Each structure stands twice: as structure tokens, then as C-alpha cells.
Amino acid sequence: MAHKKVNLPYKICPICRRPFYWRKKWQRDWENVKYCSKRCASERHPNIGHNNT
């Protein structure tokens, strides 16, 4: 039986706008975690320096 994970802190990903919850692997760096996944982190600056004309 899995234990319940209540009252975990969460943040909203600025890319996909989905909530993501605290993970043990982020415990030392939770203050600096901004994105829910590597995919969203890689999409943080799309088209910077590019003119699509």
C-alpha cells in the first residue's frame, strides 16, 4: 500500500501552467526549481534572437 503524500508544496510551471509537486530529489534546491520537467526547461526561451519574417 502506497503512503499518502498530503500537504506537499507545489509550484506552477510557467511553460505548461500545470502544478508540480515537491520531490525528494529537489529537496536541496526547491527554491530554485522553476520547471516541472526537462522538456519545459528546454522550451523556456523559444525563438530568442530569431526573426520569423
Side-chain angles (χ1 to χ4, degrees):
M1 183 172 148
H3 60 281
K4 294 184 181 186
K5 298 178 181 179
V6 281
N7 299 325
L8 289 177
Y10 72 94
K11 295 181 180 183
I12 303 295
C13 178
I15 302 300
C16 66
R17 304 282 187 223
R18 293 181 179 173
F20 62 98
Y21 293 88
W22 182 91
R23 291 182 176 182
K24 187 169 182 169
K25 71 178 187 176
W26 292 332
Q27 71 184 7
R28 293 184 185 172
D29 203 30
W30 178 245
E31 297 290 324
N32 297 320
V33 175
K34 296 179 184 176
Y35 306 102
C36 65
S37 64
K38 289 180 181 178
R39 180 180 178 187
C40 283
S42 69
E43 293 180 15
R44 67 181 174 245
H45 297 297
N47 299 326
I48 289 183
H50 298 284
N51 289 332
N52 294 332
T53 57

